[in-house]
Amino acid sequence: MSSVTPHLHRRRSWWGWGFEDAKVDAASLAPLVSDVLGFPLSGAVEAPVELSSISLPETRFPRPDGIEGWSTDPRDRIEHAYGRSFPDTLRAFRGQVDHPPDAVVFAASEDDVEATLEWAAREDVAVIPFGGGTSVCGGVEPKVPADRLGVVSLDLSRLDRVVEVDPVSRAARIQAGVAGPALEAQLAEHGMTMRFFPQSFELSTLGGWIATRAGGHFATVWTHIDDLVESVRAITPSGAWESRRLPGSGAGPSPDRMLLGSEGILGVITEAWVRVQPKPTHRAARAVRFKDFMNGCEAVREIAQSGLNPANCRLVDALEAQQTGAGDGSHSVLVLGFESTDHDVDHSLQRALAIARGHGGEHDEASGSGSGGGAVGAWREAFLAMPYLRDALLQLGILSDTFETAITWDRWPAFHAAVSAATREALGEPCRVTCRLTHVYPDGPAPYFTVLAPARRGDELAQWEAMKRAASDAILAAGGTITHHHAVGRDHREWYDLQRPDLFAAALRAAKAAVDPAGVLNPGVLVDA
């Protein structure tokens, strides 16, 4: 019984976010907790359980003939038992592995995918497609109906190549299992970049981005992976599903658009054609300070409706700016940036700055274009480190989580007040509920909330569930979406059912029945098992 996890120079953390060698020393965050957040420290730094102490149930079936890349190694099973949400991380940290897969299949080809799905459908075994395992909504946990013979996690990380680049059309055919850094490194060999950088970039995969309709680098225009996809190929229990590669089409409902956001229930995405571009050569950025968050929101609305289309237009409230080092807690901060592969963007930046000044924004002058100074750099570094910080805060006894949504501008002020208040009430004092706008549209923002509170050690799951329910109920009651780019998974399913039309749910169930008659693919996600 040996592990067949692909060789990596850096080892992934088995219980939390990222790589083991990048973990943050929890003790070093104690001053942040006490001095910046003002939370009492309840005790010693808690360590995760020993991996070797976790007992797993025996695999419920023998290794089938003809399935390559098969592993029942305990570490492989544990690493594929969860995504990386707060409850996922907490349970793994404490050694509570509720639903481990019976086995992990590391597919190295479409033939491996086909063989696994054929066997699973025949034997009534559930299959959970698995990319980077970064789901924060319960999307990859092998929690399936008890009447299944068992469940396997189908890992796509060996499908990790840029197969073909079309420099004329600026597009590339890329396998679904490639993670962000490897994707960018291979495109760079052709002088190209996909320019898609979600917070999970170092770990998440192209297939995962497509399956969850992930949000990326651009704050306007190209906000979702949807905007970069030309075509998608997936393997289903009923055969292959591939859309024609086109820049656009009006030929009925689009096959690839149906796979976007399908979360593994309609097929295993194996590759896609996506839009790429040369690396931008013209950049200009600045940090703008606002004494009032809502004044900053008005500036962002006008910028979003101006047609300037900034690449970055993220407004961070004063408390979050303080937490990330982008401010001192007295001002909200707008991280504003433009970029182009073709032309100078200083004029666009100056026009956006003028709009911001009209709403009370202040900024430091800088010579020429560039990074925009310390606040922009501090925010960028903190943005990438946030998931690591969450794990370290857990060790200190701090509940830390995020949720995101979208709403139209006319309802935004009341929405922000209602959701923030409901979340604070559920957490109780002391707590912090902060907000930033990650993506902005002419008709509304995508707010991203961060919650921090002293954890009730031993009762964190109940504490989190109360917060999550209060926030989710408030979001739907105020007219927002249960998710803007984090997907539905199992955690958001209850509110997704309330948000979508019943007839659409019936149509989605019919589509799943057509491509997956036995219902083996990620049962319970999006539609009933």
Side-chain angles (χ1 to χ4, degrees):
M1 185 172 65
S2 61
S3 172
V4 292
T5 306
H7 174 72
L8 298 172
H9 295 295
R10 304 174 68 191
R11 193 163 201 180
R12 292 276 296 269
S13 168
W14 63 267
W15 64 269
W17 185 265
F19 296 100
E20 289 182 343
D21 61 9
K23 283 294 186 187
V24 175
D25 175 31
S28 69
L29 292 183
L32 169 69
V33 172
S34 57
D35 300 341
V36 177
L37 301 180
F39 295 163
L41 289 171
S42 59
V45 174
E46 184 178 356
V49 302
E50 293 292 331
L51 177 64
S52 59
S53 71
I54 300 175
S55 177
L56 300 178
E58 291 294 322
T59 297
R60 288 170 282 188
F61 40 77
R63 175 174 181 165
D65 294 334
I67 304 295
E68 301 298 326
W70 180 273
S71 173
T72 53
D73 178 83
R75 180 163 184 144
D76 286 340
R77 292 176 67 192
I78 291 170
E79 287 186 0
H80 290 75
Y82 289 123
R84 289 299 180 260
S85 68
F86 177 82
D88 290 345
T89 299
L90 175 68
R91 288 179 291 170
F93 180 77
R94 297 267 169 79
Q96 180 185 344
V97 183
D98 297 320
H99 304 102
D102 292 280
V104 180
V105 177
F106 292 94
S109 67
E110 284 193 353
D111 288 344
D112 293 342
V113 174
E114 290 175 353
T116 302
L117 294 184
E118 180 182 347
W119 163 77
R122 185 173 65 247
E123 300 296 334
D124 200 23
V125 172
V127 177
I128 313 296
F130 193 97
T134 60
S135 169
V136 291
C137 58
V140 295
E141 182 179 359
K143 186 178 180 180
V144 304
D147 59 357
R148 297 283 178 179
L149 174 64
V151 57
V152 298
S153 181
L154 181 58
D155 188 297
L156 279 297
S157 60
R158 290 182 171 184
L159 296 173
D160 61 356
R161 294 187 300 114
V162 173
V163 180
E164 183 179 356
V165 174
D166 172 3
V168 177
S169 307
R170 290 188 176 181
R173 181 162 67 98
I174 304 172
Q175 291 183 316
V178 65
L183 184 157
E184 284 294 322
Q186 292 179 67
L187 287 176
E189 296 174 2
H190 301 270
M192 293 291 180
T193 173
M194 188 172 165
R195 206 76 183 129
F196 188 80
F197 301 116
Q199 191 173 29
S200 60
F201 171 76
E202 69 173 351
L203 301 164
S204 55
T205 65
L206 174 63
W209 300 341
I210 294 170
T212 61
R213 296 186 69 187
H217 166 75
F218 292 102
T220 66
V221 187
W222 286 358
T223 59
H224 278 78
I225 191 67
D226 311 36
D227 306 311
L228 299 176
V229 166
E230 280 190 342
S231 71
V232 185
R233 179 174 170 83
I235 303 300
T236 83
S238 298
W241 176 333
E242 183 174 11
S243 58
R244 180 170 295 192
R245 181 192 166 210
L246 294 166
S249 173
S254 171
D256 57 310
R257 299 299 159 185
M258 196 161 191
L259 286 171
L260 282 155
S262 60
E263 301 192 30
I265 73 164
L266 298 179
V268 180
I269 296 169
T270 56
E271 65 178 41
W273 275 96
V274 297
R275 298 179 174 98
V276 297
Q277 63 177 37
K279 189 174 182 178
T281 53
H282 303 274
R283 292 189 181 88
R286 197 81 84 249
V288 185
R289 300 179 298 277
F290 293 90
K291 291 183 180 179
D292 182 84
F293 180 62
M294 283 300 164
N295 284 351
C297 291
E298 280 299 296
V300 168
R301 179 179 66 83
E302 188 173 341
I303 291 169
Q305 293 173 347
S306 68
L308 289 169
N309 298 330
N312 203 350
C313 190
R314 285 170 168 81
L315 179 67
V316 184
D317 74 13
L319 288 179
E320 185 158 326
Q322 180 190 35
Q323 290 164 196
T324 58
D328 61 7
S330 63
H331 294 80
S332 298
V333 176
L334 172 61
V335 180
L336 185 63
F338 291 82
E339 60 185 45
S340 174
T341 62
D342 174 74
H343 55 270
D344 187 271
V345 292
D346 284 333
H347 176 76
S348 296
L349 175 63
Q350 292 306 317
R351 175 59 196 139
L353 290 173
I355 292 173
R357 288 194 298 269
H359 293 276
E362 301 175 348
H363 59 88
D364 296 328
E365 295 300 326
S367 57
S369 62
S371 66
V376 175
W379 178 85
R380 185 184 298 115
E381 291 179 11
F383 175 75
L384 296 174
M386 283 175 194
Y388 287 102
L389 296 176
R390 185 201 65 181
D391 291 358
L393 288 171
L394 169 63
Q395 294 183 262
L396 288 170
I398 303 299
L399 185 155
S400 172
D401 200 17
T402 63
F403 58 90
E404 37 69 57
T405 179
I407 191 73
T408 53
W409 287 115
D410 61 313
R411 294 176 289 174
W412 163 237
F415 181 90
H416 176 261
V419 173
S420 298
T423 307
R424 287 193 186 94
E425 183 178 357
L427 286 170
E429 294 296 340
C431 73
R432 278 198 176 200
V433 179
T434 65
C435 181
R436 66 181 182 268
L437 306 185
T438 61
H439 303 79
V440 292
Y441 305 91
D443 48 346
Y448 194 111
F449 293 85
T450 297
V451 298
L452 294 161
R456 301 195 302 262
R457 282 193 167 174
D459 195 37
E460 294 98 336
L461 279 180
Q463 186 181 10
W464 176 86
E465 286 169 357
M467 179 278 297
K468 185 70 173 178
R469 176 163 295 279
S472 300
D473 286 347
I475 285 171
L476 256 64
T481 174
I482 191 58
T483 178
H484 173 261
H485 59 267
H486 277 174
V488 175
R490 291 168 177 81
D491 293 349
H492 293 151
R493 173 67 195 279
E494 177 181 342
W495 295 275
Y496 173 66
D497 284 356
L498 295 173
Q499 179 177 330
R500 67 182 176 186
D502 290 340
L503 281 176
F504 175 78
L508 185 57
R509 285 192 292 269
K512 180 169 177 61
V515 299
D516 182 19
V520 300
L521 284 168
N522 216 359
V525 170
L526 296 183
V527 296
D528 292 338

